[in-house]
Amino acid sequence: MMHLSLKIGHFVVYLGDVVTANNIPIANASLYWDQATSPTRDRGIPWASVFGNHDDAHFVWPKEWFSKQGIPPLRCSPSNSTLIGDGNCSFMGTTRLDLMNYELGNGTLSFSQHGPKNLWPSVSNYVLQISSSENPESPVAFMYFLDSGGGSYPEVISSAQAQWLKGISNEINPDFRVPEIFFWHIPSKAYQKAAPWLFFVPQPCVGSINKERVCTQESEAGIMKVLQDRPSVQAVFVGHDHGNDWCCPYKKLWLCYARHTGYGGYGNWARGARILEIADQPFTLKSWIRMEDGFVHSHILLSSRPVSSSSIFLVLVLVLVLFFGIKSFYPASAHLISKAKAFISPTAL
């Protein structure tokens, strides 16, 4: 388990579908992954990532390529593609493991991890501990990252993942004293139960768009039962459905979407990012949406209970990046905001 010891700092979570591999006509998508994460790295901001259902998907041949105009010229070589016959290319996608190895090998600021080998082909399963710089051994919160599948294998958080989570959470937080936050890409079936009706976001839910039905994992294999049994769980954050950005209560925790951030994928909803602000002693978890044009909305307090006050204060701002494409989240001219209370904007300032 890795530690984030920060008094005041920024941290980015890439919440899956960093690249749309099924639209990339090359065998190795690692360079596109690097392009998508480079704005964070170039600004010296640490980050972590989980996989979505498009990151390692096989290339889908467009039907129009088989029209009168024919297949466009392709550049294939033994180093980056599989050759079939005389110069024809077959694109099998870049595996989750290859993408993670590339990120870890090229991103010194990446806190992502492979996760336990016995959970593969599910790769991005790991825990990060947030700590105050004044007391780095004392956890402020635990952030859990889970691979919800899709792409090269079924869309599911498996029972093996649920059992792994149950074991490691009981080991590092047996008395539920430390707040816990969860990140994965594809919503669990609990999101269907918590979702607002129609196209509105009425209270107690908070958000600005509810334009899609919840598209869930293929089956529920026990993950939500593990979370419901842990009073320390504050919230879950997912992506996947571009037209939703709400948070709704479910049992004793919050189920939240991020916001469609990238320039690829389906839909024409305005781009933005979900921001989290974590404060220590007393512990609070606040969230809001920051739009590409700078507009801020949908403020919500997600922390479930107060903690005794103290002089030590920690602020950690997390930007949940729902990419769906390969174009950079920040334009090249953008720069890092330096003030602790300031927001990270998805546009040039």
Side-chain angles (χ1 to χ4, degrees), residues 41-251:
R41 181 182 61 251
D42 293 346
R43 287 160 179 79
I45 306 173
W47 79 88
S49 60
V50 294
F51 290 112
N53 53 300
H54 288 284
D55 292 311
D56 69 342
H58 294 178
F59 176 66
V60 178
W61 293 86
K63 291 181 180 179
E64 57 268 24
W65 284 17
F66 299 90
S67 65
K68 184 177 180 179
Q69 288 74 24
I71 299 177
L74 302 175
R75 297 179 181 179
C76 303
S77 66
S79 62
N80 66 4
S81 65
T82 301
L83 300 182
I84 298 178
D86 185 16
N88 296 320
C89 300
S90 174
F91 308 106
M92 302 305 293
T94 308
T95 68
R96 279 165 153 77
L97 186 57
D98 287 339
L99 290 171
M100 184 62 77
N101 285 337
Y102 186 86
E103 178 179 321
L104 297 179
N106 293 274
T108 56
L109 292 171
S110 172
F111 280 75
S112 302
Q113 297 178 35
H114 295 104
K117 290 186 177 181
N118 64 321
L119 299 180
W120 289 358
S122 175
V123 174
S124 49
N125 303 283
Y126 54 98
V127 187
L128 298 180
Q129 176 181 312
I130 303 173
S131 301
S132 166
S133 59
E134 285 88 351
N135 191 1
E137 297 304 316
S138 179
V140 172
F142 290 115
M143 298 191 298
Y144 295 82
F145 300 82
L146 294 168
D147 189 339
S148 55
S152 61
Y153 73 99
E155 297 179 351
V156 64
I157 296 178
S158 68
S159 58
Q161 288 171 276
Q163 288 304 308
W164 167 81
L165 172 62
K166 183 176 181 179
I168 194 170
S169 59
N170 285 337
E171 176 183 344
I172 65 177
N173 197 18
D175 55 4
F176 314 116
R177 181 183 60 84
V178 182
E180 298 172 318
I181 309 166
F182 288 79
F183 305 92
W184 63 72
H185 181 70
I186 304 176
S188 66
K189 292 186 178 298
Y191 273 75
Q192 286 182 326
K193 300 175 182 178
W197 290 8
L198 301 176
F199 297 108
F200 304 101
V201 187
Q203 293 184 346
C205 299
V206 176
S208 67
I209 55 173
N210 179 37
K211 302 297 185 181
E212 291 190 274
R213 67 177 181 84
V214 177
C215 185
T216 70
Q217 299 166 33
E218 296 174 21
S219 63
E220 188 73 72
I223 186 64
M224 292 308 300
K225 177 64 167 58
V226 175
L227 268 59
Q228 292 165 35
D229 289 344
R230 300 190 61 78
S232 47
V233 176
Q234 310 293 302
V236 179
F237 299 93
V238 302
H240 198 53
D241 300 326
H242 302 203
N244 297 334
D245 73 352
W246 45 260
C247 288
C248 288
Y250 177 77
K251 306 297 183 180

Side-chain angles (χ1 to χ4, degrees), residues 47 100 301 322 349:
W47 79 88
M100 184 62 77
L301 178 65
L322 177 58
L349 299 177

Side-chain angles (χ1 to χ4, degrees), residues 33 95 180 258 284 312:
W33 187 278
T95 68
E180 298 172 318
T284 58
I312 299 177

